Amino acid sequence: MTFSLNPLAARIRTARRSETFPPAVLLSFLIVALVLAWAVAPGLFTSHNPASGVPADKLLGPSAAHWFGTDHLGRDLYARVVYGTASSVTSAFIAVVIGLVVGGLMGLLAGFLGGWVDVVLARLVDVLLAIPNFLLAVIVVTALGFNTTNAAIATGVSAVAVFARVMRSEVIKTRQAAFVEASFLLGGSRWHILLRHVLPNASRSVLPLAVLRFGLSILVIASLAFLGYGDPPPASDWGLLISIGKDYLKWPWLVYAPAFVTIATVLSVNRISRWLRKTN
């Protein structure tokens, strides 16, 4: 009797462990939740005005009154980071949606239809993959104009090829599954099988990629803003704050504060993406 219960108890303990969040994942979720709260309701987290400051308080170090210090115009840096979150997060979300919708549709059609459709779309994806993502984003944002929205569009365009390739490989693998062949034999139409069976099963592997690209999009958009391709001052995008702070290296918190927030957010999103990929 003892020997028969031990395997069952071991399975229960394993199931319980699998249901709990690892500490690193839980911390990552808390950081991402805080960032999203900053983006949705920044006024709940600071009472300072991000666009105006007190000249007499310029370049003050971090303190209880100014958590991240103040900039060269006396503006509270913590308030500027918090209010700049909405622009950074929204633009990254736009980029992911563009890459997911356009790239996912391309990969879905290429993998399911095959033939000349697969050949044409595969060659287009190869061309996009041959161009480095950041260089492609710079080219697109230069053609569209310098602001954060165009930077988000440019980042989304640079992510299309990655989503298309992953979706195509997942669709091809799902299309060869036994339940898909059985649905064909039972008289299911191609579009019914595509929408009912292939798309739901293939999209499960795309979710971790979308989360990963969200973090990478924040980094790319911040880099574009750092180079001056985003909104001009007095905007407070994270990349722009780092760009302004590099001109005042004697007061390093002007760079460290927005850079730390950017790095913590990207690393947290990447950790969540790895966790999602393992749970799949």
Side-chain angles (χ1 to χ4, degrees):
M1 187 68 177
T2 303
F3 291 101
S4 63
L5 288 178
N6 282 341
L8 177 60
R11 290 183 181 180
I12 293 175
R13 287 195 298 268
T14 302
R16 287 178 178 175
R17 283 197 299 267
S18 64
E19 292 176 357
T20 59
F21 289 93
V25 175
L26 181 59
L27 178 61
S28 299
F29 272 109
L30 292 176
I31 293 175
V32 172
L34 177 61
V35 170
L36 293 178
W38 283 356
V40 173
L44 297 178
F45 297 91
T46 179
S47 59
H48 293 280
N49 189 328
S52 64
V54 181
D57 294 338
K58 66 179 182 179
L59 298 175
L60 296 179
S63 63
H66 304 283
W67 291 359
F68 290 170
T70 60
D71 64 5
H72 60 292
L73 297 177
R75 297 173 295 190
D76 184 77
L77 188 58
Y78 171 72
R80 289 180 60 74
V81 170
V82 170
Y83 275 89
T85 304
S87 176
S88 300
V89 170
T90 302
S91 55
F93 179 76
I94 293 173
V96 172
V97 170
I98 293 174
L100 178 61
V101 173
V102 179
L105 182 60
M106 291 173 57
L108 186 65
L109 295 177
F112 188 75
L113 298 179
W116 66 268
V117 176
D118 186 19
V119 173
V120 172
L121 293 179
R123 297 294 78 78
L124 178 59
V125 169
D126 290 340
V127 171
L128 292 176
L129 289 174
I131 306 174
N133 286 348
F134 189 75
L135 177 59
L136 180 59
V138 171
I139 294 172
V140 174
V141 76
T142 302
L144 296 178
F146 297 170
N147 60 61
T148 303
T149 302
N150 291 339
I153 296 174
T155 306
V157 171
S158 66
V160 166
V162 178
F163 281 102
R165 172 157 289 188
V166 172
M167 178 62 82
R168 175 181 177 273
S169 63
E170 290 298 322
V171 168
I172 292 175
K173 182 171 64 177
T174 305
R175 190 181 62 182
Q176 298 172 351
F179 65 90
V180 175
E181 295 180 0
S183 182
F184 269 119
L185 294 176
L186 291 175
S189 65
R190 294 172 64 90
W191 293 108
H192 171 78
I193 295 172
L194 175 65
L195 298 177
R196 184 68 182 272
H197 300 293
V198 176
L199 180 59
N201 287 278
S203 60
R204 287 186 301 177
S205 299
V206 179
L207 176 60
L209 175 63
V211 177
L212 177 63
R213 293 301 306 189
F214 180 77
L216 293 177
S217 297
I218 291 177
L219 198 59
V220 172
I221 292 170
S223 301
L224 292 173
F226 179 85
L227 295 176
Y229 294 114
D231 291 334
S236 56
D237 295 346
W238 292 346
L240 180 61
L241 293 179
I242 299 173
S243 178
I244 295 174
K246 69 177 175 51
D247 297 328
Y248 300 89
L249 295 181
K250 291 179 61 176
W251 299 272
W253 59 85
L254 296 178
V255 172
Y256 291 164
F260 174 77
V261 172
T262 304
I263 293 171
T265 303
V266 173
L267 290 179
S268 298
V269 173
N270 290 352
R271 183 64 184 87
I272 293 172
S273 175
R274 290 200 302 271
W275 176 76
L276 289 173
R277 189 163 59 248
K278 289 181 181 179
T279 56
N280 273 343

